[in-house]
Structures are given as C-alpha cells and as structure tokens.
Amino acid sequence: MSITTRATATVLASTVLAGGAATAALLGAGAAQAMPTEHDATAVITVNNNTDSTMFYDGGFARDGQWVDAPLTQINAHSSERITVDGWNDGVGATMSYHLSGNSMAPRGDVTLVASDYANNTDTAGTSWQQPLDVHSFVQTGHPHASFVFDIN
C-alpha cells in the first residue's frame, strides 16, 4: 500500500469514527430529552373494579401532559387497570369517565375519576359516582411522581 493510499484510508477511517461518535451523541441527547426530568410530574393511576359489572370508558383527558398508558375501553368485573400520565412541567392531572352495566347490560351507574398531581394540590377531588356504586380513592404516593388508587364497589 502506498503512502497516499494509506493516508486516504486513515482519513476515511477517522471520518467514519467521527461521524459515528456524532450520531451517538445526537441519539444520546434525544434520549435524554425524552426522559422525564426531576421537574416533570407523573401520575400512575390504578383502577380496581370490585363490582360484578364491566366498566366502559366513556372518555377523558390528561391535563398538562399526555397518556403513556391510556385507559382501556373497558375494565372487566373484578379486575384492575393501570393508567399512566406524564406531565410536561411540575404538574399533571387526569379525568376519566366510565359507565357500568349490570348482568342484563342495563345501566348500573356512572363514575368519574379525577387525579391531580400538582405541588400545591395532589388529590382525587372531583371524583364522583352514582348510587348504588361507591368509590374509595386515595393518594398512595405524593407529588411529583404521584400514584393514585380508585376502588370501585
């Protein structure tokens, strides 16, 4: 191999290595931005359907964030679902509405579940339901990475 050929091969190899390192740095930077920071809030919501009825999701929304694990279209009787919302800033919330049907598919009642994960307000205020249903809710872990539990009875 001549000196010119060897020099060209060395320059090409250096260029490929530098390009690979730059690509890796860019990918790493993108991954770092996708991860939540200590200032981003998250809410993990567990819904326990302790009834003999299926819960059907009627709609809802994530406030100041986005669904990561969005609500399923239904939660079967005596089962649970885990819902996750990631926030963009220092707070996030979610509202989810369901209706329950009895064994004959006749309407049994409605529930609206509200989870708020904000520095000055981490609670389940705004949760509502119709009789004969009953909902017990509590904050399991506080802000900024809160977890909520809703027991539907």
Side-chain angles (χ1 to χ4, degrees):
M1 186 181 289
S2 72
I3 293 177
T4 305
T5 307
R6 202 175 290 160
T8 303
T10 302
V11 169
L12 284 174
S14 297
T15 304
V16 169
L17 287 174
T23 301
L26 286 173
L27 289 175
Q33 290 176 353
M35 299 293 290
T37 69
E38 65 184 62
H39 302 293
D40 293 337
T42 57
V44 177
I45 304 159
T46 301
V47 180
N48 298 313
N49 180 2
N50 300 321
T51 72
D52 293 328
S53 303
T54 300
M55 294 176 62
F56 296 95
Y57 182 63
D58 292 326
F61 57 92
R63 280 185 317 276
D64 300 319
Q66 63 187 5
W67 301 114
V68 175
D69 295 315
L72 298 173
T73 56
Q74 69 183 50
I75 304 172
N76 293 327
H78 304 287
S79 63
S80 298
E81 178 186 9
R82 186 175 172 175
I83 301 160
T84 307
V85 183
D86 276 348
W88 297 304
N89 295 306
D90 61 352
V92 68
T95 300
M96 300 147 297
S97 295
Y98 297 87
H99 72 273
L100 285 80
S101 294
N103 292 336
S104 65
M105 296 304 288
R108 181 157 181 238
D110 298 323
V111 298
T112 299
L113 310 177
V114 179
S116 297
D117 177 16
Y118 294 90
N120 61 349
N121 183 30
T122 301
D123 61 26
T124 60
T127 297
S128 62
W129 60 93
Q130 292 177 325
Q131 297 293 335
L133 298 171
D134 190 21
V135 177
H136 297 279
S137 61
F138 60 94
V139 178
Q140 194 170 30
T141 308
H143 182 76
H145 305 294
S147 62
F148 302 87
V149 177
F150 294 91
D151 290 322
I152 302 7
N153 301 304

